[in-house]
Amino acid sequence: MGRFGRVLTAMVTPFTDEGALDIDGAARLAQWLTDHGNEGLVVAGTTGESPTLTHAEQADLVAAVADAVDVPVVAGAGSNDTRAAIDLTERCTAAGADGILHVAGYYNRPSQAGLDSHFRHCAEATDLPTLIYDIPGRTGRKVATETLARLAHEVPNIVGLKDAAGSPAETARLLEMAPDGFEVYSGDDSLTLPLLSIGAVGIIGVATHWAGRQMAAMFDAFESGRVAEAAAINRSLFDSYDFETGDDAPNPVPTKCMMRVLGLPAGPCRLPMGPEPVGLEDRAREVLTALGAG
């Protein structure tokens, strides 16, 4: 098991109908998630709409969730502005986070040298264990395997990777190069089982909002050597993987819809995410029914 648990959810950030931060709703959602298969939470990450949150809102959100649950809380503190990421790191550390998650700088597509320097400066701003989030489909720049391995060896509190780069073979090469104790968490729900096969320790998921127990069962089966059972559970989650994002309803729009269907705090997404397409709630109910949860 990874230091933050096996099954973590990149939690959506509840807002009121008017778009204000719903702190009480966030605490209630966090408690529900930990009651339904989650062993840790990532708060104020990009699924939590961090680009639309103020730094004060992010710190308040982290503090509220950390106070509400007894599982590790990893705070998203990423930015494509290193000074902003350092400020967020310091605020989230003070707010009671157990770890920090830093996404690679998005849009500006920094060089590998720039990424290396960015992550070093951010890690120096805290004594908390830090994960790097590599998601080139969103950021426009892959964090090179050599860059990740160098940081893992040279920066003591860079302890792992949230991997959404889509290449389990390259991740296997990273694990061969990285020091003992460096941990990989799947950042792509549909690739979690392949990543487990090459040494990943957990998932920071999206479908785990409503399928945390199923994901935990998949981990249990795989870890016990029941690979066929793990594969069958993974197949049962295909509809959930398909539902969680798409061109007409990108993540986290579908997840917020699913939370409302389940009677949980969510509210709308802040623009520019949205609006929610017609029929999405019906699709959410179909996904739940297929899981035996609707």
Side-chain angles (χ1 to χ4, degrees), residues 41-45 62 73-78 88 92-93 97-102:
L41 298 170
V42 172
V43 179
V62 170
V73 173
V74 178
L88 280 168
C92 292
T93 300
D98 298 294
I100 300 292
L101 176 69
H102 278 293

Side-chain angles (χ1 to χ4, degrees), residues 109-123:
R109 301 182 76 243
S111 67
Q112 293 301 316
L115 288 168
D116 182 293
S117 183
H118 171 80
F119 290 127
R120 287 176 191 268
H121 280 87
C122 291

Side-chain angles (χ1 to χ4, degrees), residues 25-40:
R28 185 157 71 91
L29 177 58
Q31 291 166 344
W32 188 89
L33 289 170
T34 60
D35 287 342
H36 289 78
N38 280 273
E39 301 163 357

Side-chain angles (χ1 to χ4, degrees), residues 58-81:
Q58 286 190 237
D60 289 345
L61 183 62
V62 170
V65 173
D67 187 58
V69 299
D70 294 323
V71 300
V73 173
V74 178
S79 174
N80 60 349
D81 172 1

Side-chain angles (χ1 to χ4, degrees), residues 148-198:
L148 290 166
R150 183 169 57 250
L151 289 166
H153 278 284
E154 296 179 4
V155 184
N157 62 328
I158 291 182
V159 299
L161 172 71
K162 178 183 177 183
D163 180 17
S167 177
E170 189 64 17
T171 306
R173 191 166 79 90
L174 169 64
L175 285 170
E176 178 65 22
M177 297 169 64
D180 291 343
F182 185 82
E183 298 177 340
V184 169
Y185 295 80
S186 170
D188 184 338
D189 290 1
S190 65
L191 287 180
T192 300
L193 187 55
L195 286 169
L196 284 179
S197 74
I198 55 90

Side-chain angles (χ1 to χ4, degrees), residues 2 5-8 184-187 192 195-196 199-204 219:
R6 302 174 308 171
V7 179
L8 295 84
V184 169
Y185 295 80
S186 170
T192 300
L195 286 169
L196 284 179
V201 299
I203 177 176
I204 299 174
F219 273 80

Side-chain angles (χ1 to χ4, degrees), residues 147-266:
T147 302
L148 290 166
R150 183 169 57 250
L151 289 166
H153 278 284
E154 296 179 4
V155 184
N157 62 328
I158 291 182
V159 299
L161 172 71
K162 178 183 177 183
D163 180 17
S167 177
E170 189 64 17
T171 306
R173 191 166 79 90
L174 169 64
L175 285 170
E176 178 65 22
M177 297 169 64
D180 291 343
F182 185 82
E183 298 177 340
V184 169
Y185 295 80
S186 170
D188 184 338
D189 290 1
S190 65
L191 287 180
T192 300
L193 187 55
L195 286 169
L196 284 179
S197 74
I198 55 90
V201 299
I203 177 176
I204 299 174
V206 174
T208 48
H209 277 88
W210 62 90
R213 286 174 171 163
Q214 289 87 344
M215 191 64 73
M218 187 178 80
F219 273 80
D220 288 342
F222 183 84
E223 291 164 1
S224 299
R226 305 191 309 274
V227 177
E229 180 182 340
I233 295 169
N234 187 54
R235 289 193 297 272
S236 77
L237 293 170
F238 285 171
D239 284 346
S240 290
Y241 302 155
D242 289 342
F243 174 78
E244 67 187 48
T245 194
D247 287 343
D248 61 339
N251 177 44
V253 173
T255 298
K256 284 200 158 181
C257 172
M258 182 69 82
M259 296 300 93
R260 290 196 301 274
V261 167
L262 288 169
L264 294 164

